[in-house]
Amino acid sequence: MAHLLLLLLLAVSASTSAAEDAFIGVNIGMDLSDPPSPTQVVALLKAQNIRHIRLFDADKAMLLALANTGIRVTVSVPNDQILGIGQSNATAANWVTRNILAHVPATNITAIAVGSEVLTTLPNAGPILVSAMKFIQSALVASNLDSQIIVSTPHSSSIIIDSFPPSQAFFNRSWDPVMVPLLKFLQSTGSYLMLNVYPYYDYMQSNGVIPLDYALFRPLPPNKEAVDSNTLLHYTNVFDAIVDAAYFSMSYLNFTNIPVVVTESGWPSKGDSSEPDATLDNANTYNSNLIRHVLNTTGTPKHPGIAVSTYIYELYNEDSRQGSVSEKNWGLFDTDGVPVYTLHLTGSGTVLSNDTTNQTYCVARDAADPKMLQAALDWACGPGKVDCSPLLQGQPCYQPDNVIAHATYAFDTYYHNMAKADGTCNFNGVATITTTDPSHGSCRFPGSSGRNSTFVNGTALAPSSNSTVSGCHSQRFYDGDAFFRSAVFGVLLLSAVFL
């Protein structure tokens, strides 16, 4: 089994007036039982107009495949090499010679990420992290590449203590001996703070304190927004609150001019029984809303109008990744390039060409009464004249054998038979319209844009949007008690302001 730690970041311009355009990114892990070749990966990047990528290492085959494409590449020093590089300038220079000089200028390398979440995953390397960054920077200076290639290191957002209200946030004080010189380095070299932000995990860790809509960027009425009592800034989503917490944490250490780039963020499309909110709809909602949020240059409440460039986790699902079901299901695509779900990306330009904003489906509501669903299913397969034979045992859409799945197939077929006319996706209130393709396995729904369609009695049955090709992303560690205290504080603050 090939195991390649790879993180690809897509980027598109969001502002022509900024010194450096904001971009949206996609992470790609390659912990796959049957990974695509570097050439195939690059072909997908081109097809999806992905112009920025980041590798979790400096894989030679990938760098060669990326030559002469113009794609901007961030390479990484793996965590297991930091100790050696941080203790020897010569080792750092050799690393740059092998992994940078051997490939530029044909391959457009623009950044080096030294490790990933080192302070939380490899704390014994923390004391020499800045030395490793400085040695890499010195090697770039010696090669006259320091103006073309920046150096930074991604952090888990869990290094921020008491992230709400953001104005009271600060970095874990035990890491001040590292963070202060690290921020000085970023400031002096014109680099940026790399931060991994996962509202999904913040939501899961909050034990119901954080509303799902607040985590998913869904619109909130003013009286439901979180308010920082010190600044009176209103927060409509978890993402902005965490990013501003990072800005305030830097300000606490007297650094006010270092930008934040979010190097990982996303939402899993499938989970086990303990992760009921890891769904296709929620993954689609989060990533679609995040992309719009970044590309609309909304910025954060602390820095309005200054978009936070962000990398979505991830491009591929990873079937060989260890851990829970959700760990394998962060991807936008299967390894053959078929979308896991269809992003709704009006206004994003040509980024992610699986964008089909007019493609809609009719699905059963998760919270609908089972008896009402069964009655609606019976009507659709009877008077509604839907061909429900694909739902019979042994047929492509029999599994999962439950009323929600079967009703969804029948509702969507009726909806498309009626040319998606107004009022044809209601079924007495137990159905709703979505842009997420509900196809799964060999069962293709009418209207699906997926490939490898199967046809039953002339009806196109949608491909699996639940296919699992697992992903390999950074480990995330959270102080559950500290986070819970911050979340509860936010709810108490809401009560004080609005109740």
Side-chain angles (χ1 to χ4, degrees), residues 165-245:
S167 62
Q168 293 183 191
F170 55 93
F171 294 124
N172 187 326
R173 296 301 303 273
S174 66
W175 286 116
D176 278 3
V178 175
M179 290 304 298
V180 171
L182 190 152
L183 293 172
K184 286 182 179 178
F185 172 84
L186 297 181
Q187 185 179 63
S188 65
T189 60
S191 189
Y192 44 81
L193 181 75
M194 293 178 171
L195 189 69
N196 295 341
V197 178
Y198 283 96
Y200 172 75
Y201 287 105
D202 295 336
Y203 165 75
M204 291 288 290
Q205 297 264 344
S206 76
N207 297 315
V209 172
I210 293 179
L212 180 61
D213 288 349
Y214 185 59
L216 291 174
F217 288 93
R218 284 178 176 150
L220 297 173
N223 67 336
K224 296 295 184 181
E225 296 174 359
V227 180
D228 187 320
S229 61
N230 300 311
T231 62
L232 298 184
L233 294 173
H234 286 230
Y235 287 88
T236 60
N237 60 80
V238 174
F239 179 90
D240 282 352
I242 295 175
V243 171
D244 273 1

Side-chain angles (χ1 to χ4, degrees), residues 81-153:
Q81 296 181 28
I82 291 176
L83 288 174
I85 289 175
Q87 294 175 335
S88 169
N89 203 344
T91 300
N94 288 335
W95 189 94
V96 169
T97 298
R98 293 193 315 272
N99 298 296
I100 305 299
L101 300 184
H103 297 284
V104 296
T107 301
N108 188 19
I109 299 173
T110 58
I112 300 173
V114 180
S116 180
E117 300 188 348
V118 174
L119 300 186
T120 47
T121 64
L122 192 66
N124 63 311
I128 62 170
L129 175 60
V130 177
S131 294
M133 296 171 70
K134 287 182 176 179
F135 287 157
I136 293 291
Q137 177 72 11
S138 295
L140 293 177
V141 171
S143 301
N144 294 318
L145 291 173
D146 54 301
S147 63
Q148 303 172 37
I149 302 173
I150 65 98
V151 177
S152 188
T153 183

Side-chain angles (χ1 to χ4, degrees), residues 441-466:
S442 60
C443 176
R444 288 203 170 214
F445 281 53
S448 171
S449 62
R451 297 196 290 273
N452 302 321
S453 298
T454 58
F455 291 85
V456 177
N457 295 333
T459 301
L461 303 180
S464 174
S465 299
N466 285 335

